[in-house]
Amino acid sequence: MTKIYHNPRCSKSRQGLEILENSGKPFEIVKYLDDNLSAKALTEIVTLLGIKPIELVRKNEAIWKSDFKGKDLTDTEVIEAMANNPKLIERPIVINGKKAVIGRPPSLILDIL
């Protein structure tokens, strides 16, 4: 089943959710700000996306700028930073089986449906 990691306050995430709703296919919504993702779950997501953990970080967030910017972090440290500060996670993330995409722009979601 398709899964969207969703932040209702984010316009891109809402647009991604709308794409899934319009697809008519079943999907699951994960509000990752309410139910924090574990480091293990984030590692699995990064692997499915085929990216480095740093590519999943929202670098304009205040917490990134104040606590992490300019530091030489390992992939594990970046994952831990996102697990402990879920606002740092880029959104929306949509996973469909073994395919995953960051929905920026949201139209990218169509590629994996």
Side-chain angles (χ1 to χ4, degrees):
M1 176 182 294
T2 302
K3 186 182 291 190
I4 181 169
Y5 292 87
H6 177 58
N7 176 351
R9 297 186 64 187
C10 171
S11 64
K12 299 292 185 209
S13 197
R14 289 192 305 271
Q15 290 171 22
L17 181 61
E18 183 178 353
I19 288 170
L20 291 177
E21 289 170 342
N22 291 337
S23 77
K25 298 176 182 176
F27 63 92
E28 175 186 353
I29 300 172
V30 177
K31 293 182 180 175
Y32 66 91
L33 292 177
D34 297 337
D35 300 316
N36 290 4
L37 297 172
S38 68
K40 181 179 185 231
L42 282 164
T43 300
E44 291 169 2
I45 290 168
V46 166
T47 300
L48 281 173
L49 287 167
I51 62 175
K52 297 291 257 171
I54 194 69
E55 295 175 71
L56 191 58
V57 172
R58 295 178 54 84
K59 295 170 195 75
N60 285 327
E61 289 292 334
I63 186 80
W64 180 261
K65 290 177 179 178
S66 66
D67 293 7
F68 303 104
K69 186 177 179 179
K71 294 184 180 178
D72 188 22
L73 302 173
T74 65
D75 287 351
T76 301
E77 290 169 330
V78 172
I79 293 279
E80 287 293 332
M82 289 187 288
N84 293 327
N85 304 280
K87 286 177 98 177
L88 291 176
I89 302 169
E90 192 63 80
R91 71 255 180 174
I93 302 165
V94 176
I95 298 174
N96 186 7
K98 299 255 183 239
K99 298 179 281 186
V101 67
I102 299 171
R104 295 184 93 64
S107 60
L108 291 175
I109 296 167
L110 296 169
D111 295 342
I112 67 166
L113 292 181

